[in-house]
Amino acid sequence: MRSSAAPQCGNPCSQPQRSSGLRRVPNAFRSAGPRVRTGITCATSGDDSLPGPQGAFSPGQEAAARQGLFNRIAPVYDELNNALSFGQHWVWKQMAVKWSGARPGGRALDVCCGSGDLAFLLARAVGSRGEVTGLDFAAEMLEDASARQDSQRLEGLPPKAANINWVQGDAMSLPFEAASFDAATMGYGLRNVADIPAALSELHRVLRPGCSAAVLDFNNCTDPLPDAVQAFFLEQLVVPAARRYGLAAEYEYLRPSIKRFPTGPELERLAREAGFATARHYPIGFDLMGVLVATKGRGR
């Protein structure tokens, strides 16, 4: 894996106001309407013969189908992630937080936050003087994240981490003002949005000049060996494990969604087209995963 120092944010971080609880943003989910043409499929093939929940790859239906998918898997999401990655997902998420450039006292955003893993790591990175917002479109996931935060408070853990504000909203239309965050992460979410260029453009819009977003996801690797290993892992280990929970269809969705996800070089190009000054994709986890690090120009 290539290495790089975490990018520096060009602007001083403002002192955030504290808030807590789950906030829902009405009319947040956009699944229809015009799309940005990118020359790649971006998980919008429209082929319902593919494995996974019905509509997950159908334009105009994918947002609702995927929202339902994540609501259904929420009760076992953390348990399966930890078991099936042998705990390595924590290493990958810590790398993403480091590359996001989150600093003490900063304001950080985790898009597609799920049950909150990256948001909790960001909260430690920015410390008690900082603020973190976790956004997701699946209410069940956000409720789990909020419950995990409440559990940590009840356990009397030292107040060394930032407050986290949970918001239900759309990655393609973030309900935040421009240039309002000092760092951003996105874990296993970009692959699931209906319009990848729009989501990247929104990340660029809400970041302050000189600041970075780190996007962690499965790597759509073109090397035959890692690709074969990834296919075996998903089809022979992940799906059978999910089947024991009655969630086989939900996890069968993974492999076709990965093969329709842009490759590393394509993600770099899309990030630059979205306005980022620099973008670099780092293969990690024996090329099975990847982190896109995109930095906003200091003059924008």
Side-chain angles (χ1 to χ4, degrees):
M1 188 198 78
R2 295 170 287 181
S3 62
S4 172
Q8 299 290 324
C9 177
N11 286 6
C13 304
S14 61
Q15 183 65 28
Q17 292 185 347
R18 297 305 181 91
S19 57
S20 61
L22 170 59
R23 178 163 63 91
R24 288 181 170 83
V25 179
N27 301 320
F29 310 125
R30 298 190 305 172
S31 59
R35 299 184 184 280
V36 178
R37 302 296 180 183
T38 67
I40 53 179
T41 55
C42 291
T44 56
S45 71
D47 187 352
D48 273 337
S49 66
L50 293 169
Q54 184 175 4
F57 297 102
S58 298
Q61 301 178 37
E62 69 272 67
R66 295 172 194 179
Q67 183 183 13
L69 182 157
F70 284 100
N71 278 325
R72 288 191 297 276
I73 68 176
V76 298
Y77 184 72
D78 292 324
E79 180 181 348
L80 276 175
N81 276 355
N82 204 53
L84 294 170
S85 72
F86 305 101
Q88 290 302 297
H89 71 104
W90 282 113
V91 176
W92 306 327
K93 288 168 182 173
Q94 287 166 354
M95 294 171 74
V97 168
K98 177 181 178 181
W99 276 328
S100 76
R103 295 287 185 270
R107 191 172 187 226
L109 171 67
D110 182 28
V111 179
C112 301
C113 65
S115 59
D117 283 354
L118 278 166
F120 292 126
L121 292 173
L122 285 170
R124 293 177 192 151
V126 302
S128 59
R129 294 185 297 107
E131 181 183 342
V132 173
T133 298
L135 177 139
D136 203 280
F137 69 167
E140 295 288 340
M141 285 290 192
L142 288 170
E143 288 169 5
D144 282 355
S146 184
R148 289 176 70 192
Q149 185 177 25
D150 290 341
S151 177
Q152 291 180 7
R153 288 173 179 151
L154 290 173
E155 290 171 3
L157 297 179
K160 295 181 179 179
N163 178 69
I164 304 176
N165 180 36
W166 307 106
V167 177
Q168 186 177 11
D170 184 2
M172 298 180 297
S173 182
L174 296 174
F176 311 114
E177 294 181 0
S180 54
F181 292 96
D182 307 297
T185 57
M186 194 173 189
Y188 302 101
L190 188 63
R191 178 171 39 86
N192 296 306
V193 302
D195 191 330
I196 289 174
L200 289 171
S201 294
E202 281 293 273
L203 279 173
H204 178 269
R205 182 182 66 81
V206 300
L207 280 171
R208 292 192 173 110
C211 297
S212 298
V215 180
L216 167 67
D217 216 309
F218 284 94
N219 182 22
N220 184 7
C221 186
T222 56
D223 187 318
L225 180 57
D227 183 63
V229 171
Q230 186 185 80
F232 176 85
F233 170 72
L234 293 173
E235 294 166 5
Q236 303 302 318
L237 297 178
V238 172
V239 172
R243 186 173 290 114
R244 293 195 288 271
Y245 293 89
L247 295 169
E250 284 75 6
Y251 280 83
E252 286 172 348
Y253 159 83
L254 278 172
R255 178 64 175 170
S257 76
I258 294 166
K259 298 315 295 178
R260 281 156 181 76
F261 192 49
T263 64
E266 288 171 335
L267 285 170
E268 292 175 346
R269 174 178 60 81
L270 289 171
R272 289 191 295 269
E273 290 175 357
F276 286 99
T278 62
R280 191 170 183 185
H281 184 265
Y282 297 90
I284 60 174
F286 303 102
D287 287 351
L288 301 180
M289 306 290 160
V291 178
L292 171 70
V293 181
T295 303
K296 186 171 182 174
R298 293 184 182 276
R300 304 186 68 175

